[in-house]
Amino acid sequence: MKHIISDVPAIPIVSHEKPDGSRWTIREKLLLGLSPSEYRAQFIRNPVNWLLICIFAVGIPIIIQRYLFGLASVTHASNDYPWGLFLGFGLFGMVPLSASGFMLGTTVEVFGRKDFHPIERLALLNGLLGYFFAVVYLEVDLGMPWRLPYPMFVSLGPAAVLFLVAWHVATYLSVQIAELVPAFCEWYGWLKGKRFIRSIILGLTIAGIILSTLHQGALGALFTYAPGKVHPLWYSDAFQWIHFFCSSIFAGLSMLIVASTLCKYFMRWRCDERFLDSVDRLTLGLGKGCAYAMITYLVIKIVAVAHDNEYAYLLTGWGQYYLLELGIGVVLPMFLFAYGVKHARVGLVRFAAVISALGIIWNRINTALIAFNWDLYQEIPHWKEVWITITIYSLYFITYRFILYRLPILYEWKGAK
Amino acid sequence: MQRGNHVTQAALTAALAALLFLPAPGRAMDATDAPESIEIDSMSELYGPVSFDHLMHTEIAQCAQCHHHTTGTGPASPFCGRCHDGAEEAESVACTDCHPVRRFYADYLMTLEDPELYHIDKPGLKGAYHLNCRGCHAKVGGPTGCQDCHLMTEAGEKRFDTGQFAPAAAGERVRAHH
Amino acid sequence: MKVKARISRRSFLGSGLAGTVAASVIGERPAEAAQDFQGYPDAMGVIVDLTRCVGCRSCEAACNKEQKLPQPAEPFNDYSVFDHTHHGQKRRTDETRYTVVNKYELPEIDHPLFRKIQCNHCNEPACLTSCFVNAYTKTPEGAVIYNPKVCVGCRTCMVACPFYIPAFRYSSAFHARIMKCIFCYDTRLKYGKPPACVEACPQEALTFGKRRELLDLAHHRIRENPGRYVDYVYGEHEVGGTSWMYLSGVDFDKVGMDMHLPKEPILKFVKDFLAIVPMVLTIWPALFAGIHLLATRKDTGTAEGNDENGEG
């Protein structure tokens, strides 16, 4: 990509107008201003794409198999573990990592921290795509995926926690789409839409906070339906939702640091000076937020153990595993964040963010799969289930990259706003 | 079922007496009054009728063990004896006179709502047979397999997916079981 | 009365959440939400007397035919199935069977014990309360029935069920659904007949009747047969009480029954979270709008004037 871009002076596209004053067409914008053959050449040159092709070559047929022959053809069809990797990773893992949208929306629009502006759209996009693909994972996992709208319009079970999740994720997806409409409008050249969204952005942001608080918490509260099945250390009927909500704060921020790092090093041509100049400083700011969220989370985790008087469990094998998760997934990155921020070591903060993002996935998989049915047996996912999970994640990666290449996320639109 | 209204004073054989817990007081039917064998077929559907050798059972068990308090002797269970010791011989001693076939159907369940009713736990006919017969068999070493007493009918094979209705793969293995 | 209270609580939450705001409605909530549903007064039930069960599997066979379930891999009079295990676990309900009898051999007893499992038809079922499309119904007759026409296949009910009963028809892409015992509601229970398994049981190990009378019967049976039973009726209080209850001659955990289940309905554990929902819905907007006004005051003096600064 870089090579081709640097060969053509008019690219990357940052404005509706070509250097000669004529307008880029939508097709040209879609192909990044390259000719189809140039586009193909840059696609083939990238080794990441080869990896993706390999993943899809196996993954797409397996997904088709799942839709033709049922979940039993790609999973172990366990009645004891109704939720496998699709939800354990795809829903419970992706959603907290996507909390960046409402976090940065709050920081910029509600707290008035305009200095975080260069990274706000990346945060919103990270949020939107994470939620969208959590729904994609859900669509793979649901027995009757064609009935996804049923809880909204056909048969309502409003006293159920999942009802909250469904409604809030659906409305929050709409909110996030609305929040990103300005970026799309600039790129597409439809400015009325953008101005309308600007006028309601505060309302959207606050709606986003409410919905996020509730559905991040609700994902945790889902496990309060299984008080005896989840290991007591990963379970707390009073605090489960706070654990999930609180950890989503640093999960979202960490994921944003990871995404911005990848953009800085692998998509530099697409970033503008404003982004590149501020990303290190903003990373430190985000890292500080992470450290504070993590200490809060850690305290609530300890309070939960104390509240239910579960100290004895800490001495068992499960307890050591629990402490390992907290130690590697929370305490270690927390200190790295704190140290990195204090001494302005951006690299360290980025490293901490990677650990903390992985730590949150680890926590969610522990809650949903490992510590679930803890005194029954451990279900190891079928390889096809793993492969589908990776395939969907690759799809997420491609979509993410596709949008970052084009829409004014990492750069400011120079054309009409 | 067996019928009899012949009444004499109890004069039990020595063989029987050895099996008894206590000699029963009062009047009682003589075991020899009863039929020698009985075909129990009132509910046969999945299994065929039971050919019950009544005479043989009178030689090894007390009347009251099956007929409780209806044959004029006190019931075998001291628990039942709290009310039924010294009970008169009943006009009919058939199991089905007391134990309902439709034990769990709404019409019978209604009768259980009577607050005066003590026998809230009286088994239905099928339960009474199996609990009593099979329960005793298990204790004294009698046959306890289903087909030891009654052979499975075609309807039974269909119900149990066995015999001619066995799943293709499992046909061989079934024969080992009763 | 209690039933009504429950329904109104549900419909309240519907309007509260679906409308996302509606603070006026929220005020009505606490008094009614505090009540637990104790079960329908005339609900039917079954006592499973483990001291009577001989492991003949007649109930499994009867259920299979009554519910038109697929033909089993082994005949119902094949007793080698008792040795089947899955990850070290004894047989459980799945998409081909709504009920299963398992065998337990205890060193202190000279004969094996058998235990039937099926849906226990809770008074306040976890499957029902966790279902976000209302696919489950607790009928006044006591049955917990399922409507496959609205089910989305999320399987939260399977996660929620403390007895591991609902199973999923994973084998089908187009006719996937939850498979679970419905107390023979459609074909028998609502016509005043006992479920097929009860009718089939030769030993009367299954005693069918009104739940409230069965409780009397169960305690009566314990009282009148000293030494025969453990003095405990499993299901009398487990997870808020179940329509199907158990009597046993040995400690229940020795025949694979979970003695650590809470005595309250599963819903109780979820209520902590449900209670904060209206608070977040009402307090958050005011709180964050206030923070916004404070945080941006020094920039422009008004919130509206701030908007053009936010241009991206």
Side-chain angles (χ1 to χ4, degrees):
Chain A
M1 197 71 222
K2 266 177 266 172
H3 312 285
I4 295 173
I5 295 293
S6 51
D7 293 346
V8 186
I11 306 175
I13 298 172
V14 292
S15 160
H16 294 297
E17 293 182 355
K18 293 179 179 178
D20 60 11
S22 63
R23 289 177 78 85
W24 293 102
T25 63
I26 292 294
R27 185 167 167 276
E28 283 170 320
K29 287 184 198 167
L30 276 176
L31 292 181
L32 306 169
L34 305 172
S35 70
S37 61
E38 284 172 324
Y39 192 82
R40 210 174 301 122
Q42 67 84 21
F43 182 84
I44 288 168
R45 198 177 305 169
N46 188 344
V48 175
N49 290 336
W50 285 100
L51 177 67
L52 292 172
I53 287 168
C54 291
I55 292 172
F56 287 130
V58 179
I60 302 285
I62 303 180
I63 292 176
I64 293 171
Q65 184 187 14
R66 178 257 171 271
Y67 282 108
L68 289 182
F69 303 107
L71 279 163
S73 63
V74 297
T75 69
H76 287 312
S78 172
N79 286 315
D80 297 324
Y81 283 87
W83 293 341
L85 267 189
F86 300 146
L87 296 191
F89 171 80
L91 182 67
F92 294 109
M94 291 288 272
V95 169
L97 292 180
S98 310
S100 59
F102 98 89
M103 292 304 302
L104 267 283
T106 311
T107 309
V108 176
E109 308 297 343
V110 177
F111 296 162
R113 288 291 300 271
K114 301 295 173 194
D115 50 330
F116 280 91
H117 220 287
I119 212 167
E120 186 193 4
R121 277 190 180 171
L122 180 61
L124 292 174
L125 180 68
N126 184 61
L128 171 62
L129 289 179
Y131 276 90
F132 182 77
F133 277 88
V135 176
V136 173
Y137 275 111
L138 188 67
E139 281 292 74
V140 176
D141 189 72
L142 283 184
M144 290 70 99
W146 58 91
R147 289 184 186 161
L148 189 69
Y150 272 37
M152 276 89 187
F153 307 112
V154 179
S155 180
L156 278 60
V161 171
L162 201 62
F163 185 82
L164 277 159
V165 177
W167 268 94
H168 289 177
V169 168
T171 37
Y172 187 50
L173 256 177
S174 325
V175 167
Q176 290 194 311
I177 290 170
E179 286 177 322
L180 277 166
V181 159
F184 179 78
C185 289
E186 287 173 0
W187 177 79
Y188 188 81
W190 182 59
L191 300 176
K192 248 190 185 163
K194 181 190 157 163
R195 288 183 192 122
F196 171 70
I197 295 294
R198 282 305 327 168
S199 68
I200 58 165
I201 192 69
L202 183 65
L204 283 178
T205 309
I206 292 180
I209 306 171
I210 296 170
L211 296 170
S212 293
T213 311
L214 288 177
H215 70 239
Q216 294 283 3
L219 284 180
L222 273 181
F223 290 98
T224 56
Y225 281 116
K229 295 186 184 179
V230 181
H231 188 281
L233 286 171
W234 280 269
Y235 173 85
S236 161
D237 39 87
F239 297 103
Q240 195 80 4
W241 73 271
I242 309 181
H243 287 158
F244 270 58
F245 171 66
C246 192
S247 55
S248 78
I249 294 175
F250 62 78
L253 296 181
S254 297
M255 188 61 191
L256 180 58
I257 295 176
V258 172
S260 65
T261 305
L262 291 174
C263 293
K264 183 187 169 185
Y265 290 103
F266 298 102
M267 220 180 279
R268 203 176 183 87
W269 60 271
R270 185 70 282 187
C271 308
D272 64 4
E273 292 306 312
R274 187 187 68 140
F275 179 82
L276 291 175
D277 290 346
S278 57
V279 66
D280 285 4
R281 178 177 52 80
L282 295 180
T283 300
L284 292 178
L286 296 174
K288 193 172 175 181
C290 283
Y292 278 122
M294 283 174 136
I295 187 72
T296 314
Y297 175 66
L298 203 59
V299 169
I300 308 171
K301 285 290 261 191
I302 295 166
V303 167
V305 172
H307 181 269
D308 297 334
N309 195 18
E310 291 160 350
Y311 296 109
Y313 286 109
L314 292 176
L315 301 174
T316 64
W318 281 104
Q320 284 156 23
Y321 185 64
Y322 175 79
L323 292 175
L324 191 73
E325 182 210 297
L326 271 191
I328 296 180
V330 182
V331 178
L332 173 69
M334 183 180 79
F335 279 113
L336 291 178
F337 275 129
Y339 186 86
V341 169
K342 188 155 194 282
H343 299 277
R345 299 268 298 273
V346 182
L348 206 59
V349 171
R350 291 187 167 130
F351 178 60
V354 173
I355 302 179
S356 125
L358 292 174
I360 259 342
I361 294 173
W362 191 17
N363 169 262
R364 297 304 194 261
I365 288 180
N366 277 344
T367 312
L369 293 174
I370 314 269
F372 190 80
N373 286 340
W374 62 289
D375 54 0
L376 218 56
Y377 62 94
Q378 190 54 55
E379 178 83 24
I380 311 291
H382 194 282
W383 72 268
K384 287 182 180 174
E385 189 176 339
V386 178
W387 202 287
I388 290 180
T389 308
I390 295 171
T391 307
I392 306 286
Y393 201 80
S394 307
L395 211 57
Y396 161 77
F397 175 82
I398 284 189
T399 314
Y400 209 145
R401 189 178 66 175
F402 181 88
I403 294 175
L404 284 182
Y405 275 3
R406 289 161 181 83
L407 297 194
I409 304 287
L410 299 169
Y411 64 97
E412 275 191 290
W413 192 250
K414 297 278 193 299
K417 288 186 192 173
Chain B
M1 297 293 306
Q2 67 270 49
R3 296 258 160 194
N5 41 13
H6 198 109
V7 186
T8 62
Q9 286 298 109
L12 299 163
T13 62
L16 251 178
L19 283 161
L20 299 182
F21 303 102
L22 284 169
R27 305 181 308 154
M29 220 178 229
D30 192 313
T32 54
D33 298 334
E36 287 185 13
S37 83
I38 301 145
E39 183 103 323
I40 305 176
D41 59 357
S42 62
M43 292 172 297
S44 60
E45 180 199 348
L46 305 178
Y47 289 90
V50 174
S51 179
F52 179 71
D53 187 342
H54 190 258
L55 183 62
M56 186 271 283
H57 283 87
T58 61
E59 287 164 6
I60 56 169
Q62 204 183 356
C63 304
Q65 276 179 275
C66 297
H67 294 287
H68 313 309
H69 51 80
T70 55
T71 46
T73 58
S77 154
F79 167 69
C80 306
R82 293 195 305 221
C83 296
H84 294 292
D85 265 349
E88 300 272 314
E89 183 198 321
E91 284 202 7
S92 162
V93 294
C95 308
T96 186
D97 286 343
C98 292
H99 295 283
V101 175
R102 289 159 61 91
R103 162 73 177 82
F104 298 117
Y105 282 69
D107 43 357
Y108 180 78
L109 291 178
M110 294 273 281
T111 65
L112 293 179
E113 308 215 353
D114 176 5
E116 303 284 305
L117 183 71
Y118 177 76
H119 278 299
I120 57 172
D121 195 17
K122 190 170 65 188
L125 187 58
K126 182 162 65 173
Y129 280 137
H130 286 96
L131 285 171
N132 211 48
C133 302
R134 198 196 166 282
C136 189
H137 283 199
K139 261 186 226 143
V140 303
T144 55
C146 308
Q147 303 209 58
D148 296 344
C149 293
H150 42 33
L151 290 173
M152 194 182 272
T153 62
E154 187 176 320
E157 292 190 345
K158 201 165 185 176
R159 165 71 70 89
F160 282 84
D161 289 282
T162 191
Q164 54 177 313
F165 301 100
E172 285 307 298
R173 243 178 318 148
V174 195
R175 247 150 261 162
H177 299 280
H178 47 247
Chain C
M1 269 321 281
K2 284 184 173 152
V3 176
K4 274 191 183 150
R6 175 182 165 72
I7 289 164
S8 67
R9 185 188 82 219
R10 277 184 155 254
S11 51
F12 146 66
L13 271 173
S15 57
L17 302 177
T20 354
V21 263
S24 59
V25 191
I26 285 154
E28 293 172 14
R29 183 162 185 259
E32 299 189 332
Q35 293 181 5
D36 284 327
F37 180 59
Q38 304 282 334
Y40 289 100
D42 284 334
M44 304 305 283
V46 173
I47 294 277
V48 184
D49 188 333
L50 301 187
T51 68
R52 291 184 177 182
C53 180
V54 294
C56 68
R57 300 184 66 209
S58 295
C59 49
E60 290 189 39
C63 176
N64 177 277
K65 299 299 170 294
E66 180 70 26
Q67 297 297 331
K68 301 183 172 63
L69 295 171
Q71 190 181 41
E74 291 87 10
F76 285 106
N77 59 346
D78 180 344
Y79 303 104
S80 66
V81 298
F82 291 134
D83 302 325
H84 289 189
T85 55
H86 175 70
H87 289 281
Q89 306 293 310
K90 289 187 185 290
R91 301 189 307 148
R92 60 156 288 171
T93 54
D94 65 22
E95 61 181 280
T96 67
R97 52 198 185 199
Y98 289 169
T99 185
V100 155
V101 177
N102 281 322
K103 182 165 86 172
Y104 296 83
E105 312 221 37
L106 304 181
E108 65 267 34
I109 296 180
D110 60 355
H111 58 88
L113 293 172
F114 299 92
R115 170 197 161 212
K116 177 185 187 295
I117 49 178
Q118 71 297 308
C119 174
N120 285 331
H121 299 277
C122 305
N123 290 341
E124 177 133 49
C127 54
L128 183 154
T129 47
S130 70
C131 181
F132 73 153
V133 288
N134 257 345
Y136 288 96
T137 308
K138 175 82 175 173
T139 74
E141 295 90 342
V144 178
I145 57 171
Y146 162 80
N147 176 6
K149 292 203 176 77
V150 298
C151 175
V152 179
C154 71
R155 311 195 287 285
T156 311
C157 49
M158 296 166 66
V159 167
C161 176
F163 302 107
Y164 293 88
I165 291 304
F168 195 70
R169 194 191 264 160
Y170 286 105
S171 62
S172 170
F174 304 106
H175 301 99
R177 55 165 289 178
I178 290 289
M179 303 290 284
K180 103 178 231 312
C181 161
I182 53 165
F183 217 151
C184 291
Y185 179 77
D186 296 348
T187 51
R188 305 180 60 96
L189 189 66
K190 72 177 172 191
Y191 302 112
K193 296 181 185 175
C197 52
V198 168
E199 180 135 70
C201 182
Q203 283 280 100
E204 210 163 288
L206 309 175
T207 305
F208 171 78
K210 283 195 177 159
R211 181 180 190 269
R212 129 178 88 78
E213 286 161 16
L214 287 179
L215 270 172
D216 284 346
L217 182 145
H219 288 289
H220 169 89
R221 214 178 267 182
I222 293 171
R223 199 168 48 241
E224 305 293 12
N225 297 277
R228 185 176 171 94
Y229 298 101
V230 172
D231 187 8
Y232 191 80
V233 180
Y234 191 97
E236 181 172 9
H237 300 298
E238 269 68 21
V239 291
T242 56
S243 274
W244 280 61
M245 296 169 286
Y246 289 79
L247 286 175
S248 171
V250 300
D251 290 339
F252 285 94
D253 44 9
K254 289 183 179 160
V255 284
M257 303 183 76
D258 188 349
M259 286 304 285
H260 300 293
L261 289 182
K263 302 287 179 260
E264 309 88 358
I266 294 294
L267 182 61
K268 181 226 161 206
F269 298 88
V270 186
K271 279 181 178 165
D272 278 357
F273 173 72
L274 293 179
I276 65 120
V277 173
M279 290 199 279
V280 169
L281 286 176
T282 46
I283 297 171
W284 260 219
L287 184 67
F288 283 94
I291 291 174
H292 172 72
L293 289 177
L294 287 173
T296 55
R297 190 181 163 82
K298 59 178 187 291
D299 295 349
T300 56
T302 64
E304 292 86 342
N306 198 38
D307 276 356
E308 61 241 32
N309 292 356
E311 290 291 328

